[in-house]
Amino acid sequence: MTQERLSRRALLKGMGGGMAVLALAACASAGQPAPVSESAEATPAEGAPPVAPAERVDLVMWTAWGGQDDVDRVRIILDEFQELHPGIMVELTGGGPGGGDYNELLLTRIAAGNAPDVASLFTPPVGFAARGSLDVIDELMATAEYARPDKFWQPVLDTCKFRGKTYGLPFSAASYGMFYNVDWFEEAGLPTDRESFPQTFDELRALSAQFVAWEGDELKTGGFVPWSELWTSPAWSGCNGAQWFDSRNEQYTINDPGNIALLQYWVGWLDEQYRGDVEYIASLGAWHTGQDGNWFQKVTPLSQGGAWNTSYSYMKYETAGFRWDVAKFPVGPDGEKSRTAFWPNWFAMPIGGPHRTESFLLMEYMCTVGMPTWYAEVFDTPAWLDFPDDVITQNLIDNVGADKALEMHNFFIDYLEDAVEVWTSPIEDFGTDQINRAIDQVMHKVKTPQEALDEAQQIAQTRLEETLRSL
């Protein structure tokens, strides 16, 4: 399903809304640094009936976000929620109480029966669900006003499902893409429009070669380094017609022929353009789109990253010192279309909470009608399909101008339509570690793609089956 395109008029409305939110945020923090944990008892909305003590419900919500700016943004959303639900009081704790490992603390509290009513997650709900730690919410979604099952991007909602049941809601789902230096392309006499960006692995490899320049044993400028950001590997696998994990059949597919061919292709790229020396290329620094990366430092005009990269302040054209744009990943020899992956955040209800209805209302608000308040400041692509068309992240507008911000907003939202399955394994972190280790072994030529991926497949599948048998 494709989001409705935004009009310039709607964009200007969004700019106004974003500025209003920024003003609210400033008011919330000016002169009174808020504690990380604080009870937020909102003043009832004007005209709302007074709340009798018997009607009041007290909820506790944790967020994995611990930074003060993020906690302040969540608190603003809570204030909006409590204006609509004056009988529901929410105590917010950013980062979890007392610091430490957030997930471990949450699981410990769930086991002890004193967990928060609602918690945000940076790791997939399916892992918690497999442990029996989260509440099933399908019946609540079926009658929800905003968070019905068909109101989210399906690949993103699937990250909340385990064996057909839903254990949480996606808050955001920032998709990935290619980044390129428009000014450098112009200087090289290359077209700079997105439609002219390489459509296939071979085209991208050829483009990359145009920018690779060696002086003796020193690489002066680089092209593209596809293996540099392993967290994007699900997108590359999908572009070559493969995937790493199949949740429907509860099977890892690490040694799929498409993945073996992908790594073989990368080794050929390494040999052809970087003299086969992956250690030397790594020694030149990071090849991501961050401020300390080789793309921003103009060592290469090509990189890859997430939607969130576009809104960082250093990405402002004037600050970067060059214009840049984004494009889709190219298609591999065994693929059929460009695919992306995404990095979500989630909200879930720990099992055993005494206030399921009110907890779901809170979680639903955070992931649907409350999300625009967050998105006005943070370019985390919304997972909710009914997200209003008049909200654009202000930082992105500041970086690239209103028209381009609107166009990039649409690009990353529309690209979710081509998202691969990801974040659906009950042992997501363990499986990802095995995949990354195998890629590293291949690029260092310790093992062939077949050997490394066969081994990773066997280890990950064995652990998965052990986990599933223990349920």
Side-chain angles (χ1 to χ4, degrees):
M1 178 177 180
T2 302
Q3 284 289 90
E4 184 181 31
R5 290 286 180 180
L6 305 187
S7 67
R8 179 174 172 77
R9 177 181 60 79
L11 173 60
L12 293 174
K13 285 170 58 184
M15 293 172 64
M19 293 176 69
V21 170
L22 288 171
L24 282 172
C27 291
S29 59
Q32 47 176 353
V36 172
S37 178
E38 174 180 301
S39 178
E41 298 192 9
T43 302
E46 185 176 354
V51 182
E55 297 173 328
R56 171 171 163 161
V57 171
D58 291 283
L59 301 179
V60 174
M61 184 172 86
W62 291 3
T63 65
W65 298 290
Q68 193 62 60
D69 288 345
D70 291 333
V71 172
D72 288 343
R73 290 187 191 101
V74 172
R75 186 168 289 111
I76 292 172
I77 301 174
L78 288 182
D79 288 345
E80 297 166 352
F81 171 77
Q82 291 183 287
E83 286 187 8
L84 294 173
H85 302 281
I88 303 176
M89 304 301 162
V90 183
E91 180 182 302
L92 170 65
T93 299
D101 186 283
Y102 180 85
N103 288 343
E104 288 185 7
L105 180 59
L106 182 58
L107 287 169
T108 299
R109 287 292 194 91
I110 292 172
N114 61 349
D117 299 278
V118 174
S120 76
L121 300 174
F122 284 173
T123 52
V126 64
F128 290 85
R131 297 168 180 249
S133 300
L134 299 180
D135 203 346
V136 179
I137 61 170
D138 291 285
E139 86 281 12
L140 296 168
M141 292 184 73
T143 57
E145 182 174 2
Y146 304 108
R148 291 177 181 267
D150 61 348
K151 294 299 182 182
F152 294 92
W153 290 100
Q154 201 56 51
V156 185
L157 184 60
D158 285 347
T159 64
C160 301
K161 293 184 176 180
F162 178 61
R163 293 183 169 175
K165 297 180 180 178
T166 309
Y167 292 87
L169 294 177
F171 175 73
S172 60
S175 52
Y176 312 157
M178 297 289 301
F179 285 67
Y180 61 99
N181 184 321
V182 170
D183 289 345
W184 199 338
F185 273 34
E186 279 188 352
E187 292 167 6
L190 297 168
T192 61
D193 60 290
R194 183 172 301 153
E195 291 69 28
S196 298
F197 193 83
Q199 304 291 307
T200 68
F201 282 12
D202 287 346
E203 290 174 2
L204 180 60
R205 185 166 164 173
L207 176 65
S208 172
Q210 294 186 45
F211 295 102
V212 174
W214 291 83
E215 284 187 9
D217 294 332
E218 182 179 0
L219 183 71
K220 302 300 293 184
T221 61
F224 185 58
V225 182
W227 59 87
S228 63
E229 298 298 300
L230 295 185
W231 51 271
T232 66
S233 71
W236 290 99
S237 171
C239 286
N240 206 38
Q243 62 185 121
W244 296 120
F245 180 69
D246 175 6
S247 63
R248 182 182 299 274
N249 294 304
E250 297 182 343
Q251 283 282 331
Y252 270 95
T253 55
I254 295 172
N255 59 351
D256 182 286
N259 291 329
I260 294 171
L262 172 68
L263 296 199
Q264 194 61 59
Y265 192 88
W266 284 359
V267 170
W269 197 319
L270 173 68
D271 291 343
E272 173 189 282
Q273 298 183 15
Y274 302 113
R275 301 182 177 176
D277 193 343
V278 71
E279 275 299 314
Y280 173 70
I281 297 305
S283 75
L284 299 178
W287 294 84
H288 55 51
T289 53
Q291 192 169 14
D292 60 343
N294 286 329
W295 180 75
F296 189 79
Q297 302 300 325
K298 304 177 187 175
V299 178
T300 174
L302 294 160
S303 186
Q304 56 185 323
W308 58 87
N309 286 106
T310 64
S311 65
Y312 293 149
S313 59
Y314 64 81
M315 293 290 277
K316 189 173 185 176
Y317 287 159
E318 292 80 2
T319 303
F322 59 89
R323 292 171 297 147
W324 50 270
D325 207 341
V326 295
K328 292 185 176 182
F329 291 103
V331 182
D334 298 324
E336 296 180 349
K337 62 186 296 189
S338 175
R339 307 299 296 269
T340 187
F342 53 89
W343 198 304
N345 294 317
W346 303 266
F347 277 86
M349 296 160 45
I351 192 79
H355 306 296
R356 296 186 71 240
T357 300
E358 293 82 2
S359 297
F360 181 79
L361 283 174
L362 173 58
M363 184 169 69
E364 177 187 36
Y365 190 87
M366 293 298 301
C367 296
T368 59
V369 292
M371 178 55 177
T373 297
W374 180 275
Y375 190 69
E377 292 193 41
V378 182
F379 197 53
D380 276 344
T381 309
W384 185 44
L385 288 170
D386 286 344
F387 188 83
D389 63 1
D390 60 351
V391 180
I392 302 290
T393 306
Q394 186 61 48
N395 286 351
L396 180 60
I397 296 172
D398 294 342
N399 284 351
V400 300
D403 290 337
K404 192 64 179 177
L406 170 62
E407 191 267 338
M408 286 190 182
H409 165 93
N410 283 323
F411 169 82
F412 283 109
I413 283 185
D414 289 349
Y415 206 10
L416 282 175
E417 192 167 3
D418 298 321
V420 297
E421 177 180 346
V422 64
W423 305 106
T424 55
S425 169
I427 57 165
E428 184 74 29
D429 291 345
F430 181 85
T432 299
D433 287 346
Q434 301 313 309
I435 294 166
N436 292 346
R437 184 172 63 88
I439 295 174
D440 186 69
Q441 289 174 332
V442 171
M443 300 313 297
H444 281 83
K445 301 182 180 179
V446 175
K447 294 181 178 177
T448 68
Q450 183 79 60
E451 293 170 343
L453 295 184
D454 279 350
E455 180 178 276
Q457 170 72 26
Q458 193 273 328
I459 294 173
Q461 187 64 30
T462 299
R463 173 64 68 88
L464 174 66
E465 291 172 1
E466 291 173 351
T467 301
L468 295 177
R469 280 197 298 270
S470 69
L471 300 182

